[in-house]
Amino acid sequence: MPMSAQLKRMQDAAIVLVREVAQQEVIPRFLRARHALKDDGSLFSEADLAAQHYLAAHLPQIHDSPIIGEEMTRAEQRDGWQRGGDGLWCIDPIDGTTNFINGIPWFAVSLAWLKEGRTRLAVTYNPITDEMFYAREGHGAYLNGRRLPLRRVTTDLARAVADVDFKRIPKDLADRIAVDPPYYSQRNFGCSTLEWCNLAAGRLDLYLHGGQMLWDYAAGSLILREAGGQVCTLAEDDFDAAEVWQRPVVAALDPTVFAAWKGWLRAGSR
């Protein structure tokens, strides 16, 4: 089967699976899930573990590739990456766990399939709004069947709406943003995978995060790029060449805003 046809089949099956796991393992536990702290201080819940187990059990039926999940051990994640050059599933069973635990209706189930270190298909689902974002390499990005972006965004950085997550941003840059931001207004929603999708949809104009894990950016970076957006890190133009396990994100949907945003951020770090 040609790769394009194979990816289309995999994408269609992944959309069904992601909606299924959200309905069966995630939503029934909303506001009810027991939770605890991980070693890094972040939260996880029994719903995260149940959703990851469900996905790991069913993804081999779509394509038998190694699996990396956020709730796996670091050793398991590294082993999956080493074995996954010819195909790798990367899953975030619930992104936005703090929102999920606190009853904030802004979280997602997200997965991506990578080959040779690059994302080839992506699916991210918000079960509260029933918004299914998806993309496959070279075929555009979509929300519930509608091509992204949904609207034309500004070409002026000064009028842009930004999503800025201050986590892991260098202090001098964070201070500069807080005191003299170059954009019009700022938001942050506590769910990285959906923030990528909101940018791709045109609901936001630009994005900054100080350091995302693989499962935070794997799906969203493809969805944004297939919507016509651009992405780099704070130091590198080639986003895919950066450190796999934690990457800063500088992104925008409009190329003029992207160039101005990247230039403003890097000007302060010289």
Side-chain angles (χ1 to χ4, degrees):
M1 181 185 298
M3 178 57 69
S4 178
Q6 181 183 17
L7 286 175
K8 177 63 166 63
R9 178 192 64 78
M10 291 167 62
Q11 181 188 71
D12 291 346
I15 288 171
V16 172
L17 177 60
V18 166
R19 178 174 277 112
E20 188 176 274
V21 73
Q23 292 172 345
Q24 294 190 25
E25 303 293 345
V26 177
I27 293 302
R29 292 180 168 90
F30 187 39
L31 290 174
R32 297 179 175 88
R34 293 189 299 273
H35 60 276
L37 286 175
K38 292 188 280 191
D39 291 341
D40 64 2
S42 61
L43 287 169
F44 76 101
S45 73
E46 62 181 359
D48 293 82
L49 299 176
Q52 180 168 285
H53 179 77
Y54 192 98
L55 289 168
H58 290 81
L59 282 172
Q61 300 169 24
I62 299 175
H63 194 279
D64 191 10
S65 299
I67 298 169
I68 289 177
E70 180 180 7
E71 307 309 332
M72 291 178 176
T73 66
R74 180 172 297 184
E76 290 171 332
Q77 292 163 353
R78 268 59 177 178
D79 178 67
W81 180 260
Q82 290 298 321
R83 295 186 294 108
D86 291 331
L88 172 71
W89 290 110
C90 180
I91 60 178
D92 196 336
I94 302 178
D95 185 33
T97 299
T98 299
N99 289 349
F100 176 81
I101 289 170
N102 286 279
I104 300 171
W106 193 255
F107 52 88
V109 180
S110 187
L111 65 80
W113 188 76
L114 298 81
K115 186 174 183 180
E116 297 173 346
R118 292 180 61 90
T119 304
R120 311 296 176 163
L121 72 83
V123 178
T124 296
Y125 180 53
N126 181 340
I128 298 296
T129 60
D130 193 31
E131 291 186 319
M132 184 74 71
F133 297 88
Y134 52 94
R136 70 184 195 276
E137 189 177 44
H139 289 82
Y142 295 84
L143 165 58
N144 293 347
R146 294 182 63 189
R147 185 80 178 246
L148 298 179
L150 303 178
R151 58 179 288 273
R152 185 182 297 276
V153 295
T154 185
T155 60
D156 182 0
L157 178 60
R159 298 181 62 187
V161 176
D163 189 317
V164 176
D165 190 323
F166 283 91
K167 188 182 299 180
R168 306 186 187 96
I169 294 177
K171 184 180 183 304
D172 57 344
L173 178 57
D175 290 345
R176 185 167 165 246
I177 293 170
V179 172
D180 188 26
Y183 44 75
Y184 166 69
S185 188
Q186 180 179 313
R187 303 288 185 271
N188 179 247
F189 300 96
C191 178
S192 298
T193 56
L194 286 180
E195 288 167 343
W196 282 100
C197 293
N198 276 331
L199 184 61
R203 295 168 175 168
L204 300 164
D205 297 302
L206 55 90
Y207 189 31
L208 174 66
H209 194 293
Q212 288 188 352
M213 306 304 180
L214 174 60
W215 41 86
D216 294 321
Y217 69 76
S221 60
L222 178 67
I223 291 170
L224 174 64
R225 286 189 276 201
E226 287 295 321
Q230 298 181 48
V231 59
C232 64
T233 73
L234 284 168
E236 300 172 281
D237 287 342
D238 186 355
F239 185 73
D240 295 310
E243 160 61 35
V244 168
W245 299 106
Q246 190 176 105
R247 289 180 181 173
V249 176
V250 176
L253 190 55
D254 176 80
T256 302
V257 170
F258 175 75
W261 179 224
K262 179 176 71 171
W264 187 91
L265 290 168
R266 292 183 178 178
S269 61
R270 292 170 186 164

